[in-house]
Amino acid sequence: MIAVPISKTIHILLVDDNPNNLKVLSEAIQRCGWKALMATDGESAIEQTAYAHPDLILLDVMMAGIDGFETCRRLKTNPITQNIPVIFMTALSDSTDKVTGLEIGAVDYITKPFQQEEVIARLKLHLKISHLTRTLEERVQERTAELTQSLHQLQQTQLQMIQSEKMSTLGQLVAGIGHEINNPVGFVSGNLSYIEEYVNNLLRLVSLQQQKLTQPDSEIQELVEEMDLEYLTEDLPKLLASMHQGITRLKDISLSLRTFTRADISSPVEFQIHEGIDSTLMLLKHRLKGNSDRTKIQVITQYGELPPISCYPGQLNQVFMNIIANAIDAFDELHENHSAQEIAAYPNIITITTSFAPQQQTVTICIQDNGPGMVPDVQSRIFEQSFTTKPVGRGTGLGLAISHQIIVEKHNGQVNCLSMPSQGTKFIITLPNVTK
């Protein structure tokens, strides 16, 4: 159990228009080593809370001027004071009034005439709960800020890698990305166990408190039922387990990146482009087949007579993979938004055309689909790092950015995109024939 820090003086604001009540409560609080602040009406309580920011407020319901309910409402609407726990003091026995208080933000009720021991016990409990909540929130905020910074650094590193003309191979790029992914993944994985421990401690605290209460308090029981404590206790471990699964998936992706790096070559070699296209289509064969949601995608290859070119085959294959896979994704999205009759009358076709220009000594590869196409704003941004129109989990926004880097920087070529809504998309890749 985490105790309230003894290094910090606890301030408790007592709000009651009965001076005798203030005196009795103040003496009891001071015996616990806490400091008592006092107010005799709602207006002064609100004003004092705003500048003194007490750790907890004991608030009488029936007071002259604005009553305790209205005072609590105003405290909870002010961002400066809304998180300060409020415990109502009342002689009312009507459960409706108690529910009203809890609905507007109170954490507990103390019924007059009260026992000092009960008051102190309730105060200790809610001070501990408040401290636990603040501690957990602060740690989550710290971790989130650090993760955000790590992610920002990762994105900057990726962008520098992609744009750098000094990168000699795509393998180096991918290895660097895989290494950088490991840093935030390791950070999150390591700290997730601490968050899990804090959550379990908090649940143990609540469970122990329930066991120790020999006579269950009706107000606490109402709060337990309102927050559905049983479901919360059951669901929290499931949420943490799903987070562990996400971290495992990221580690698997990082491992795949390192494997891909070892598979690529480190220097240019003579290569027949058609072999690369054919091998890419072979790897994507399972995605080209029809399924219950989409008809088969037909691939038409119109190959010209091409000489071998000096290039990085693994990198060019990755470009072909990215462009063709994006076309398949576009067809999948198209079928999600159209009826079966429309789909049957609209066959899916990807056309790949190659040609060689002897005078310019260039090789051109055109990859065209008759999919949904793109609006001008999307088309203008497709080569930007991390830009994607795909739902979360389906795309990273790095595929076309890396493809652009491979063609332009690594091979001194050009890649352009032509697209119109409902008229498909065409990628035109031009590579110099540097074979001697």
Side-chain angles (χ1 to χ4, degrees):
M1 181 182 298
I2 300 176
V4 178
I6 59 175
S7 58
K8 177 182 180 298
T9 302
I10 301 299
H11 293 76
I12 298 178
L13 176 61
L14 309 174
V15 187
D16 198 320
D17 55 5
N18 186 321
N20 185 56
N21 287 343
L22 291 177
K23 181 176 182 296
V24 172
L25 289 171
S26 175
E27 291 175 352
I29 286 172
Q30 291 175 359
R31 283 195 295 271
C32 292
W34 303 331
K35 183 173 182 178
L37 307 174
M38 289 177 280
T40 57
D41 59 77
E43 293 286 358
S44 60
I46 293 172
E47 181 180 353
Q48 190 170 177
T49 301
Y51 70 79
H53 208 71
D55 297 278
L56 189 145
I57 300 172
L58 273 176
L59 178 60
D60 188 25
V61 172
M62 304 300 296
M63 295 185 297
I66 63 172
D67 63 12
F69 291 147
E70 178 60 24
T71 301
C72 185
R73 286 192 189 95
R74 297 189 186 182
L75 290 171
K76 294 303 176 182
T77 56
N78 186 344
I80 299 176
T81 60
Q82 63 183 0
N83 292 324
I84 300 175
V86 174
I87 298 178
F88 277 127
M89 299 182 295
T90 179
L92 299 176
S93 58
D94 190 346
S95 62
T96 302
D97 292 316
K98 296 178 180 180
V99 171
T100 300
L102 294 173
E103 288 179 345
I104 63 177
V107 297
D108 205 350
Y109 259 95
I110 296 176
T111 304
K112 298 178 182 179
F114 45 72
Q115 298 294 325
Q116 291 188 25
E117 293 81 3
E118 178 188 1
V119 173
I120 296 302
R122 296 276 184 95
L123 293 179
K124 287 181 177 179
L125 171 63
H126 288 289
L127 285 170
K128 289 178 180 178
I129 291 176
S130 177
H131 174 67
L132 282 168
T133 302
R134 288 196 308 271
T135 300
L136 183 58
E137 289 176 349
E138 289 171 359
R139 290 186 180 275
V140 170
Q141 290 174 356
E142 290 173 2
R143 301 298 186 267
T144 301
E146 292 171 0
L147 180 58
T148 300
Q149 179 63 24
S150 297
L151 179 60
H152 177 72
Q153 293 175 354
L154 171 60
Q155 291 173 334
Q156 293 301 311
T157 301
Q158 290 174 333
L159 184 59
Q160 292 172 3
M161 290 178 181
I162 292 171
Q163 294 177 340
S164 175
E165 296 181 353
K166 296 181 180 180
M167 293 297 293
S168 61
T169 65
L170 178 61
Q172 290 175 310
L173 172 64
V174 175
I177 294 175
H179 176 71
E180 291 297 331
I181 287 178
N182 283 336
N183 290 336
V185 167
F187 170 80
V188 175
S189 179
N191 286 290
L192 186 57
S193 60
Y194 292 110
I195 295 177
E196 191 171 21
E197 179 183 353
Y198 301 150
V199 170
N200 289 335
N201 287 339
L202 184 58
L203 293 177
R204 286 173 52 206
L205 170 65
V206 174
S207 176
L208 181 61
Q209 185 63 42
Q210 289 184 316
Q211 295 175 17
K212 295 297 184 180
L213 288 175
T214 56
Q215 296 182 349
D217 184 83
S218 60
E219 289 84 4
I220 294 179
Q221 189 61 35
E222 288 177 5
L223 181 59
V224 167
E225 294 175 358
E226 178 183 347
M227 67 188 295
D228 198 351
L229 182 60
E230 182 178 356
Y231 173 78
L232 185 149
T233 304
E234 179 183 0
D235 196 50
L236 267 176
K238 295 179 181 178
L239 294 177
L240 291 170
S242 68
M243 294 172 69
H244 278 296
Q245 292 176 357
I247 294 299
T248 300
R249 184 184 177 192
L250 285 174
K251 290 179 178 178
D252 291 340
I253 292 173
S254 178
L255 178 60
S256 297
L257 287 173
R258 293 197 298 270
T259 301
F260 177 78
T261 301
R262 291 194 296 268
D264 199 14
I265 60 176
S266 59
S267 59
V269 298
E270 289 190 1
F271 182 63
Q272 173 53 253
I273 292 294
H274 294 159
E275 294 180 8
I277 297 174
D278 290 340
S279 65
T280 302
L281 292 174
M282 180 63 68
L283 292 174
L284 290 172
K285 187 175 181 180
H286 68 289
R287 294 202 60 196
L288 296 169
K289 295 179 179 179
N291 52 50
S292 58
D293 298 322
R294 171 180 52 74
T295 57
K296 176 182 177 181
I297 299 174
Q298 180 182 2
V299 177
I300 301 174
T301 56
Q302 299 174 341
Y303 291 164
E305 293 291 333
L306 300 185
I309 67 171
S310 180
C311 65
Y312 296 93
Q315 298 183 35
L316 289 183
N317 291 344
Q318 187 66 45
V319 173
F320 302 148
M321 175 75 74
N322 289 335
I323 294 175
I324 298 173
N326 281 345
I328 297 173
D329 291 338
F331 283 125
D332 289 341
E333 180 181 351
L334 182 67
H335 283 245
E336 290 176 359
N337 301 319
H338 289 76
S339 66
Q341 292 79 4
E342 292 174 320
I343 293 170
Y346 194 81
N348 308 312
I349 300 174
I350 296 176
T351 304
I352 304 175
T353 306
T354 64
S355 61
F356 175 63
Q359 294 182 345
Q360 290 80 20
Q361 287 292 296
T362 57
V363 169
T364 301
I365 305 103
C366 293
I367 303 176
Q368 183 174 6
D369 66 68
N370 63 341
M374 294 178 279
V375 296
D377 181 60
V378 171
Q379 180 184 341
S380 66
R381 300 186 59 193
I382 58 172
F383 295 119
E384 293 181 11
Q385 184 193 23
S386 300
F387 174 76
T388 180
T389 59
K390 298 176 183 178
V392 175
R394 292 191 185 180
T396 62
L398 288 176
L400 289 179
I402 292 176
S403 298
H404 186 274
Q405 187 265 348
I406 291 172
I407 298 299
V408 176
E409 297 185 16
K410 291 300 299 177
H411 291 86
N412 296 316
Q414 296 180 1
V415 55
N416 296 295
C417 175
L418 304 175
S419 184
M420 290 287 291
S422 303
Q423 296 184 26
T425 300
K426 177 191 288 187
F427 283 89
I428 305 172
I429 301 169
T430 304
L431 298 169
N433 175 26
V434 295
T435 301
K436 298 181 180 179

